[in-house]
Structure formats: structure tokens, C-alpha cells
Amino acid sequence: MRDNPEAFAAPTAVQREAEALRRALERFQALIEDQFDSLESRKRTIAELEREEEAGEAAVRQLREEIVRLEGELAKADLLFAPRYRDQSIYYGQFVESPLTDEARRIMQVVQGGDYRGIVVYPIAVHWEPLQRPQQLLIEFARRGYLCFFCEPGGQFRLKERERGLYVVSGQEHLLQALQTCHVLVLNTYLMQNAWADHLPHKTVWYDVLDRVDFFGLYDRNMLAKHYEVLHEADLVTYSARRLAEYVGDRPDAVYLPNAVRPEDFRTESAGKRETPEELNAIVAKNKKIVGYYGAIEEWFDTKLVIELARLPQVEIVLIGHCGISQDPFPDNVHFLGPKPYESLKEYAEHFDALMIPFVVNDLTNAVSPVKFFEYCAIGKPILSTPIAEVLPYAGPGITIVRSGEGLAFDDCFRSLTPDARARLRSIAGSNQWKTRADEIECELESRPGCLKLLANRLHDPHVSVFTATFFDYDGENFYTGGAERYLIDLHEVCEELGVRLDLHQYGNYAWYRKYRNIDVYSLGHGTLDIGEFSMERLNAFNRRYLYAEEGKSLLHIYSAFFQAYPRVAHPSIGISHGVAWDNRGSDYANGEQFWLSNERFIRSAEHLQKIVSVDTNTANWFQTVSYRTGQQMLTIPNYVDPNEFFPVPRKRDGKIRIVYPRRLYEARGLYLTLASTDRILARYPSTEFHFVGKGFDEDVRQIREAMKRWPGRVFCYHRDPDEMHAVYKEADIVLIPTLYSEGTSLSCLEACATGNAVIATRIGGLTDIVIDRFNGLLVGPNAEALEAAIVECLDNPELRRRMGSNALQVSKAFDKASWKERWKKVIRDALGSEELQNDGRAKAEKREPGEIEFRLGPGAKEADWLPEVVGCLKKGMAVFIRGDGGQPPESSFGRLQWIAEETELSFRPTVARFD
């Protein structure tokens, strides 16, 4: 072979190519084997994952079954509903007592930014989609001018305006804060919603019964008890299905209110069809009859009926909505498309040949009014329904009743509707519209006096707000004529001259509203918050109520007195110190800690406020010793007197010497110091008289009455309004300002000085800023002996009286009211900021509310006559005061609707409408 030359010849080109192909084939074969192995591995992985998924689903099913079992055990022990309700209630209660959130402030801006008829809220129960009865009712109320909030589940706060006046809210706890001082119509369809609504002080409850109580997952006897509690307490009760009448039988005024439709939402354009939804393309292409359904697919779904229908030739079934049951039993021609937006339902229904309501017939479904039934009627396609109670009466042309197991044959149902059948369906839809249902509810609300508070929310406009302890008494019956109240009257005058409105908020026993001349005064009390006791907890609750009422709404917050700002303050802020008000009998401290705890409210308030206006130097000096920085930041604007109103006149020459006590009649103002010397002075000086001019509590006034009995014609007790007080001073000779504690630069003292009286004052508070001892008055210690000795000296020394009265007049000129007003105007301008803001405030201040009207219901007044008039006035924005028989108790008042007792005196003059 070595001799054969061909044995050693190089491979030919064909051989090389063949070899290359062979190697490529080997590599390809190896790749195929690798891919096969990989595919087999993936198949094994998929199978393993499917087994794990099945095991996971089985575990989930077992857990769900275990949950159902445990809930069943809890329900048997009546431990299912109450603990969940209690936990939610505690959470909402704690949230209401927490600081106002930024999210709540956002909602407040919405509330105050619109001109709305009332506020309607649907607390958390379901999501916004799919749109059902509560959503549709809120849409209608929003279109009538109500501000509506639909609350839906969600971990993160969200506030979205669906259409004008209708907001979807996630995070209803923030909404609860924002609506604390508003009156709200609460639409309640699910008993757990009450855990939220319970913490809303001002509400009209509309209990809308949609299902049997035992339908709900948390059903036990406690839930049933809650149902009857809400049923009895609700202001309005409605029910959606006739079979639910047994659940509302205790309320003979309950209103049957079936579901409805908004036909225009399901109207399709006549000119051609729109583009077919992508998911329907393959189904429509089969050219078969399509039976459609939309809504929840849950345990009440008649699976057997749908499967029987699917077995018919030439039928495809389309199910739209959340599916909560197994899809395994259904054949391939049953298509589950999942939930779809409400707006797109008509696009799907346009391709359906018939629509169905395949509900199992039982006690639960017989108590249901399906919203979809009326929507189907508006669509105008043949309807197939099982014989549930609310649909059965409509059986007839266009509506076929079907039952599983009865040999289904639907050929006739797929034919085009006759004109009469189509007209019948459209007539059913037209007779059952949501706007008609809303009309019925609005009519019911407006025909019930107890529900009218829904229309009485305060109208919002730019204003300055004052938080004070008292202006009227706690029931809004009597105006207090003390110096702090008179100060606020004049501060209101300052704001009017600036073109800014000033409103007052105060402690109260219920939600009353009053006017004093042109000043609006609002009580912060409500059904579960009164001022029955002066505990720190109660005072803090009123502080919190003020924040809810005014934070973010007022141009400026004025705290009168400044310590009303404890523990939280709204900005921009100004506090007013009317004098050291904490120098009372309890000011006796064993150590520094006790001092701090007793005075923390005053110190912290002053530190938190942006500015404090003090009427005297005493307050600033006190703070200088405990909080130097706060003392340095205080602005002193002493109290004032109007020389055009208070000036000397010649005294009557009747031989009488009139000693006047022109103050509130109680211990702190020195009432009992004065009474202690009255008998001896009157006995020693036959020409003297004592005049007690002011208001007081019954026991204090009784002590004066006893003195009047002992000294008839020489001791007098009466009251004068602030604008009449000048006449009292002009007839006085000696004026007593015998304060024991809590005094600033007393208006009474200044007015006495301006009218040339001899003044006797104690050396308390800011009185030392006014009276220079023995120059323009006598300063004495806060005790009865010193006061009596000073009175005797004045009576024995007419020249001293004359000289001190003359000097007092000169001193009073340093406290001119015009100067006081200008200084306050500067403070307010600085706080309000830009000139543009001031001009805006001036323009809005001129846009006053439409006014006030008093309805006097005489004997025989008919509710049918006066109630529509009240409703009309409230809708115009008027404040309505109703007096007389047939009304509600005063405690039922809210906002612009006030029920007042027959004897109540109003401190303003409303328009009067009489009904007899």
C-alpha cells in the first residue's frame, strides 16, 4: 500500500464538505438531545409546579374552610360581629382624638370650597366598581347639588373626583376628621359602617336595607341586635325588595325603594355599531347566539342552569364580573371575561342576543332586587331570569322566566323583540330611574323635621375666627355682659372697619347658633360633648372641636383668652390675655413641680401662639419670670374707653350718694367683699345707695336680693346692655372695682374714670396700670376691711372724691378707644398678610348670608304649611329659628336650623313668619 500513491492523496473538496456536514449533524443531534432533556426537565418542573399549585390551592381551600368553620363557631357563641365592630370603633375613636391630618385638611378644602346643598357619605363597604345601588344614589345626589363622598377600601389615602361634587375616598378615617363639625347624611347598607358613623357627631342616618341580615358573613345574634338598634334609631329607613319587609316591620314609616337604572347610560348610538371589544372578537366570529351576564358570580349563581343553557346548539355564553366560584364545571363555550368598567358594559351588551339573571331561587335571592334587571330593560334585549321574587312580577313580553331541569329551549328568546316587547322593556326602565328614586328620598327627608339639619350646614366664606369660653351662656340663652364679651364686640367692630368678618366659637351644651347684633356665635358642643364639668379632658375636647371647625377655614385664629389654644393651636394665631386669670384661690403651691403642672396650660399656650396681645403689663411681667422669651414677644395694648360715650355730666342734686358695683355678680369680681360692708355703710350714711349692675348666677343674685329686703329703696340690682352702661356711670358718685383675682385693665374701671367718678379698686392684675393710689382713685388690698375703710374715707371727704374724679378723667384720655382700634388694626393687618388678601376679605365680607328668619308656630300650626317654607329658606342659605308647638327640642338644633324654646330671647331682630 505504501507503493500506491492514491493512499496518501489529500481529501477532495467533496470529502471535506461531507465531513463538515457530518460534524454539523452530530452537533445538531447533540443540541436536539440537550433541548429534549431540557424540555423534559421543564415538563417535570411544570408538573411539579402544577402539583405545588394544586397543593397550594388545596391548602387555601382548607384554610378558607377552616376560617368558615371557626367563624361558624364564633357565630354560634355570638363572638363574630361584636369584637370586629368594637375594634373598628376603638380605632376610629382614637383617630378622631388624634391631631388633624394633612389628608383631612385636603378634604376640608373640598368641603369649604363648594356651594352645596348638603353632604352625603357612604362609608366603606364595597369598591366603587362595579356600580351598584349606593354608587348610583350618590351620583344622583351629587347632580342635585349635594357634596358626596363614597368610601372604598384601600391602604393608601386617595381622593378622586368622579364627577362634579362626587368624590371617591380611600382612607375614611381622614374623612371622619374632616366632617366632625358638619352635618352629614350617612347612607348605611352594611351594619359595620356604623362603627365609623358612630364617631360622627352630627348626622342623619339613612338605613337602606338591601339584603337579609343573615346574608352577611359576620352574621350572629349581635349583628341582628345591631340591625334592630340601627333600624329604630335611623332617621330614614328604606328597603329594596318586598321580601325584606319582615326586617323593617318595626318601622311603619319604612319606604319600599326598589332598584333602578339610568337609561342614558345604556343607550347606544343608532348609526352603526362601535368597534367590538377585543375579547368578544373570537366569540362573535362564531356567528352563534350570545347570552350575556354581568355582575358578581358567587354562590347564588345557578351553575346548573348556565351549563344547561351552554349545551344548547349555537349558543355562546359570556359572563362579566368577579368570579368567586370554581370555573371547572363549565364547558368551553362559557366565557369568563372578568370585571369591566360600568361605562363599557353597553359596548359588550351591544353584541349580546339575550341577557340573563341565573340566580338560584332561595330566601336570600328572593330578598334581592337586582340592579342589572332594570339595566337590562334599558338595553332593550330579551331577558332570561329565574323566578326570583323581585323579577317574577315583570314576566311577560321580552322577559322570560326559566328554570333549570325543565327542558330549556330558547329559540323564541333569540328572535328580535317585537315592537311591543321592546317598548315594554323601555317603559319598565323609564318608570324605574335613579333620579326618580333620589326624588323620593329627597322628598322624604324634606318632609321630616328631624332630617332638615342636612340642609343647615354653615356657608363658608373668608372670616376671622375667635375661640372663647363664653359669650352667651352654655345653652345660648343669655348674653354675658362682662368685659371680655364687650371686648369682642368692639374687636368685631375693628374687623368690620377692615372689611373682614369676625365669628365667635364658644363652649356649649349642644350645637346652637346665635347672633348678637351682627356677630355670629357658634357653640362647639354636641350630643355627647357639653361643658357639664371643667375637667382638662373636657376642655381639650373643646379645643379639638375648634380645630375641626376652623383650622384651614379661617383667615386668622384669635384665642380669647389665649390659653384656649391649649393643647393645640391653629395658625395664623393671636392670643389675647385679658389679665392673669390663674391667680385664683388655688394658687398655693407646695413645690415647683406642682406650680408647673397647675400652670402648664398657660405657659404652653403662650409658647405655641404666634403673637399675644396683653391688655396689661401684669401678664407680660408674669411670663417674664417663667418664660423670658414669651414675655419679650408679648404686645401690650391696654383696654380702652370711648370718650364720645363716657364723659362727665352734672350729678343730680337729690342728696343721694350712689355707690355702684358695675360688674358681673360673682365672687371673683368682689361681690362678697362689697356685700360684707353694705349693711354698716347704709346704717352709718343714710343718704347712700348701693347699685349692683350686672348679671350673675341665681345663688349670687339671691344674696343681693336678701340685702334689698333689708334695705328697701337703698339697695338695687339690675342689668344694662353695654351701650346703656354710660348712663349708669353718669349717675354714680363712687364706683367699686373690688376684684379678688383674674383682672386686666378693667373696662368698668376705665369707664368710671372717663365719667369722672371716684374709683375704689383693689391692687389686683392690671388695675395698677390704671389707678394711681390717691391720685385718680384708691387702691386697696383685696379684703373687706380695706374696701370698707376706703368707702368711708370717700364718703367723709367729698373734696377727695372730687379731686380723684377730676384726675380720673384726665387719666382716661390715655386709654382712648380710637387709639386702641388703630393698634389692633395694625396687628390684624400684619397677621393677614398681603393687601390683596385684605381686599378679598373685604369683598367677601360684603357678601353676607341671605339673612335670618324666625318661624313662630302658634296653636294649630300645620306642618304641611310651615315645613316647606323652612326647607325653602334653608336652601336659600338663610338661618332659620323655629319657636313654638310642633317643633323639635332645642338640643336637636344644628347650624342654620335652630329650634328655640318659647321663652328664649334673641339678641337680634330676624324676619318673623307666623303660623297659627
Side-chain angles (χ1 to χ4, degrees):
M1 291 184 64
R2 290 197 295 265
D3 294 336
N4 186 353
E6 292 183 359
F8 299 96
T12 65
V14 173
Q15 289 174 326
R16 290 194 301 271
E17 185 173 350
E19 180 63 20
L21 288 173
R22 184 185 62 77
R23 288 194 299 268
L25 183 60
E26 289 175 352
R27 288 195 298 269
F28 186 69
Q29 186 65 35
L31 181 62
I32 290 175
E33 292 175 357
D34 289 343
Q35 290 295 324
F36 180 79
D37 291 342
S38 176
L39 181 61
E40 288 299 316
S41 175
R42 290 181 181 180
K43 285 182 178 178
R44 288 193 297 271
T45 301
I46 291 172
E48 184 177 344
L49 289 174
E50 287 177 344
R51 287 193 297 272
E52 290 178 359
E53 183 179 3
E54 289 176 0
E57 290 178 350
V60 169
R61 285 195 297 271
Q62 289 177 355
L63 287 174
R64 286 176 175 168
E65 291 172 359
E66 181 66 9
I67 290 172
V68 170
R69 187 188 68 79
L70 291 174
E71 287 185 342
E73 293 297 321
L74 290 171
K76 290 178 182 178
D78 297 316
L79 296 173
L80 190 59
F81 176 77
R84 184 82 59 87
Y85 191 97
R86 182 179 62 252
D87 290 345
Q88 289 198 19
S89 182
I90 291 172
Y91 169 73
Y92 291 124
Q94 291 173 342
F95 204 91
V96 166
E97 295 179 359
S98 300
L100 194 64
T101 65
D102 291 337
E103 292 84 354
R105 291 186 179 92
R106 280 184 57 191
I107 299 172
M108 285 177 168
Q109 290 175 356
V110 170
V111 173
Q112 70 188 67
D115 182 15
Y116 52 85
R117 183 173 294 181
I119 302 174
V120 186
V121 174
Y122 184 71
I124 285 177
V126 295
H127 288 275
W128 176 256
E129 290 277 4
L131 263 62
Q132 293 294 307
R133 177 184 177 102
Q135 295 92 317
Q136 298 287 9
L137 288 168
L138 259 64
I139 289 171
E140 288 299 329
F141 271 88
R143 293 177 180 180
R144 280 164 169 73
Y146 291 83
L147 178 61
C148 298
F149 295 96
F150 180 94
C151 303
E152 69 172 358
Q156 188 173 6
F157 175 77
R158 185 168 64 97
L159 180 66
K160 181 177 181 181
E161 188 172 17
R162 286 285 175 174
E163 61 176 74
R164 180 178 173 81
L166 173 58
Y167 292 82
V168 175
V169 181
S170 294
Q172 66 177 10
E173 56 268 43
H174 304 288
L175 181 66
L176 187 61
Q177 280 193 337
L179 299 179
Q180 282 295 298
T181 57
C182 300
H183 194 91
V184 178
L185 173 62
V186 179
L187 174 56
N188 174 8
T189 66
Y190 176 49
L191 291 165
M192 194 60 69
Q193 292 173 311
N194 292 281
W196 180 88
D198 287 345
H199 298 280
L200 203 61
H202 311 291
K203 57 183 175 288
T204 294
V205 176
W206 169 13
Y207 187 25
D208 190 26
V209 182
L210 305 186
D211 299 284
R212 290 169 53 103
V213 180
D214 55 0
F215 164 83
F216 296 102
L218 294 177
Y219 177 75
D220 62 13
R221 285 188 296 182
N222 286 317
M223 176 179 266
L224 185 62
K226 188 66 178 180
H227 160 76
Y228 284 109
E229 176 188 326
V230 176
L231 182 71
H232 290 136
E233 294 179 357
D235 301 280
L236 174 65
V237 176
T238 55
Y239 58 103
S240 62
R242 292 180 179 87
R243 294 285 181 91
L244 293 171
E246 63 177 298
Y247 283 93
V248 298
D250 291 352
R251 286 292 295 261
D253 61 341
V255 178
Y256 172 54
L257 194 78
N259 282 321
V261 64
R262 190 172 297 103
E264 60 269 23
D265 289 353
F266 295 90
R267 193 172 296 137
T268 58
E269 293 78 10
S270 57
K273 292 187 176 181
R274 289 179 297 275
E275 183 177 349
T276 303
E278 184 176 351
E279 293 165 294
L280 287 182
N281 281 329
I283 302 171
V284 172
K286 295 180 181 180
N287 199 27
K288 296 181 179 180
K289 299 296 184 182
I290 301 176
V291 181
Y293 168 89
Y294 61 79
I297 306 169
E298 299 290 350
E299 66 271 11
W300 57 80
F301 207 69
D302 193 338
T303 302
K304 183 178 179 181
L305 175 64
V306 175
I307 292 173
E308 289 178 12
L309 176 58
R311 289 174 182 155
L312 294 173
Q314 299 300 308
V315 169
E316 297 287 323
I317 296 177
V318 174
L319 305 179
I320 295 173
H322 171 76
C323 183
I325 62 175
S326 173
Q327 301 178 17
D328 294 341
F330 296 93
D332 292 340
N333 61 335
V334 177
H335 308 276
F336 292 84
L337 302 189
K340 302 299 173 189
Y342 173 81
E343 295 79 7
S344 68
L345 291 178
K346 65 180 179 182
E347 299 174 11
Y348 287 84
E350 191 173 353
H351 299 278
F352 298 161
D353 296 283
L355 297 138
M356 64 176 175
I357 305 176
F359 289 176
V360 173
V361 180
N362 56 31
D363 289 342
L364 290 177
T365 55
N366 274 331
V368 170
S369 172
V371 175
K372 63 180 61 60
F373 170 72
F374 298 105
E375 294 173 348
Y376 287 176
C377 290
I379 291 169
K381 299 286 182 75
I383 299 172
L384 314 175
S385 176
T386 53
I388 58 176
E390 285 295 304
V391 175
L392 194 58
Y394 292 99
I399 302 170
T400 302
I401 300 299
V402 295
R403 298 174 177 85
S404 62
E406 292 190 355
L408 306 179
F410 297 140
D411 291 347
D412 291 342
C413 299
F414 295 131
R415 296 174 182 170
S416 298
L417 291 174
T418 65
D420 287 347
R422 189 178 302 277
R424 180 172 183 265
L425 293 181
R426 296 289 168 83
S427 175
I428 292 172
S431 300
N432 293 275
Q433 297 193 45
W434 288 120
K435 63 181 180 181
T436 305
R437 301 290 187 259
D439 285 340
E440 293 178 57
I441 294 304
E442 197 169 23
C443 183
E444 285 290 337
L445 293 169
E446 293 177 3
S447 67
R448 303 181 184 209
C451 296
L452 297 187
K453 290 177 282 189
L454 173 64
L455 306 174
N457 281 301
R458 178 182 176 184
L459 304 181
H460 296 286
D461 55 7
H463 62 281
V464 171
S465 180
V466 174
F467 179 24
T468 188
T470 57
F471 190 80
F472 287 94
D473 66 15
Y474 301 136
D475 291 320
E477 301 295 328
N478 295 310
F479 166 64
Y480 285 151
T481 56
E485 290 75 33
R486 294 165 64 188
Y487 192 98
L488 292 177
I489 292 171
D490 290 327
L491 192 58
H492 176 268
E493 185 179 318
V494 168
C495 288
E496 278 192 321
E497 292 177 8
L498 286 172
V500 182
R501 179 173 176 171
L502 181 142
D503 295 342
L504 304 182
H505 296 260
Q506 70 159 81
Y507 299 156
N509 290 331
Y510 62 93
W512 52 260
Y513 157 70
R514 297 289 186 267
K515 292 183 75 73
Y516 183 82
R517 300 176 184 171
N518 202 32
I519 307 174
D520 289 333
V521 185
Y522 298 89
S523 162
L524 294 168
H526 58 78
T528 58
L529 177 63
D530 58 34
I531 197 66
E533 61 179 30
F534 270 87
S535 65
M536 228 30 245
E537 180 182 0
R538 192 69 56 94
L539 298 181
N540 290 350
F542 275 100
N543 170 271
R544 184 167 55 248
R545 286 286 295 173
Y546 174 76
L547 293 178
Y548 284 135
E550 288 299 303
E551 187 168 9
K553 304 172 188 176
S554 175
L555 299 172
L556 174 63
H557 303 272
I558 299 178
Y559 291 86
S560 175
F562 74 94
F563 46 81
Q564 299 297 130
Y566 183 84
R568 300 188 184 101
V569 60
H571 297 306
S573 59
I574 298 174
I576 303 174
S577 172
H578 294 288
V580 172
W582 49 99
D583 57 343
N584 52 53
R585 293 186 182 277
S587 297
D588 188 10
Y589 309 111
N591 52 56
E593 181 181 3
Q594 190 182 79
F595 170 86
W596 176 264
L597 292 175
S598 298
N599 293 288
E600 182 182 10
R601 183 185 184 201
F602 312 108
I603 298 170
R604 292 300 189 200
S605 298
E607 290 175 343
H608 294 160
L609 286 159
Q610 293 173 326
K611 182 175 292 186
I612 296 182
V613 173
S614 175
V615 303
D616 62 13
T617 59
N618 186 45
T619 304
N621 291 338
W622 189 91
F623 273 99
Q624 192 103 345
T625 67
V626 295
S627 178
Y628 184 86
R629 180 183 56 81
T630 303
Q632 291 292 307
Q633 291 179 343
M634 285 187 172
L635 173 66
T636 301
I637 302 180
N639 278 330
Y640 52 90
V641 64
D642 186 351
N644 297 314
E645 183 178 4
F646 294 89
F647 50 85
V649 297
R651 300 295 194 268
K652 291 181 180 179
R653 297 184 178 275
D654 56 3
K656 303 291 186 180
I657 299 178
R658 294 176 177 81
I659 303 172
V660 176
Y661 170 101
R663 326 216 66 202
R664 193 178 296 181
L665 308 175
Y666 77 124
E667 185 233 9
R669 288 292 175 259
L671 172 64
Y672 291 99
L673 295 188
T674 305
L675 286 173
S677 60
T678 298
D679 289 337
R680 289 187 294 274
I681 294 294
L682 291 174
R684 182 174 174 180
Y685 299 94
S687 61
T688 58
E689 298 175 350
F690 275 84
H691 292 249
F692 294 88
V693 187
K695 289 184 176 181
F697 295 109
D698 291 343
E699 176 57 28
D700 298 317
V701 174
R702 189 183 68 80
Q703 298 295 326
I704 302 174
R705 301 293 183 199
E706 292 296 324
M708 292 171 66
K709 292 178 183 178
R710 294 194 301 271
W711 301 95
R714 296 186 65 191
V715 176
F716 303 89
C717 182
Y718 49 90
H719 161 71
R720 293 289 181 267
D721 285 335
D723 55 3
E724 298 174 335
M725 281 300 298
H726 64 92
V728 174
Y729 293 111
K730 290 170 183 175
E731 294 182 355
D733 297 286
I734 301 172
V735 175
L736 306 181
I737 313 292
T739 301
L740 284 178
Y741 49 86
S742 185
E743 185 65 87
T745 45
S746 164
L747 289 172
S748 299
C749 185
L750 288 170
E751 290 165 356
C753 289
T755 46
N757 281 281
V759 176
I760 302 175
T762 49
R763 48 127 186 95
I764 300 299
L767 290 173
T768 57
D769 288 351
I770 304 172
V771 178
I772 303 172
D773 189 30
R774 310 195 73 80
F775 176 73
N776 65 324
L778 296 179
L779 278 178
V780 300
N783 58 80
E785 294 78 10
L787 178 64
E788 183 175 341
I791 295 173
V792 168
E793 183 175 5
C794 282
L795 290 173
D796 289 342
N797 193 340
E799 174 56 25
L800 176 64
R801 295 204 311 266
R802 185 202 63 76
R803 186 175 70 251
M804 289 193 304
S806 176
N807 292 337
L809 175 60
Q810 297 304 314
V811 169
S812 71
K813 293 178 181 179
F815 298 87
D816 185 85
K817 183 178 181 180
S819 175
W820 174 85
K821 291 173 70 174
E822 289 305 313
R823 295 181 70 180
W824 254 110
K825 286 178 183 178
K826 183 180 186 308
V827 170
I828 293 173
R829 286 193 191 100
D830 291 344
L832 289 179
S834 68
E835 185 68 27
E836 180 180 354
L837 180 60
Q838 296 176 51
N839 290 336
D840 180 67
R842 183 176 294 109
K844 293 296 177 62
E846 293 171 356
K847 184 184 176 182
R848 302 295 294 170
E849 291 182 5
E852 301 80 29
I853 185 169
E854 178 185 341
F855 284 78
R856 296 183 181 174
L857 309 181
K862 296 181 179 179
E863 192 174 277
D865 294 332
W866 59 264
L867 195 56
E869 295 292 327
V870 170
V871 170
C873 291
L874 290 172
K875 288 182 177 179
K876 291 176 185 177
M878 300 180 73
V880 177
F881 296 80
I882 305 177
R883 183 199 310 269
D885 297 334
Q888 302 284 304
E891 293 75 17
S892 298
S893 300
F894 175 82
R896 291 182 292 107
L897 178 63
Q898 295 291 312
W899 305 92
I900 56 176
E902 188 66 47
E903 65 276 9
T904 299
E905 294 183 11
L906 296 178
S907 301
F908 65 101
R909 294 185 178 180
T911 303
V912 175
R914 300 178 184 275
F915 291 85
D916 295 314

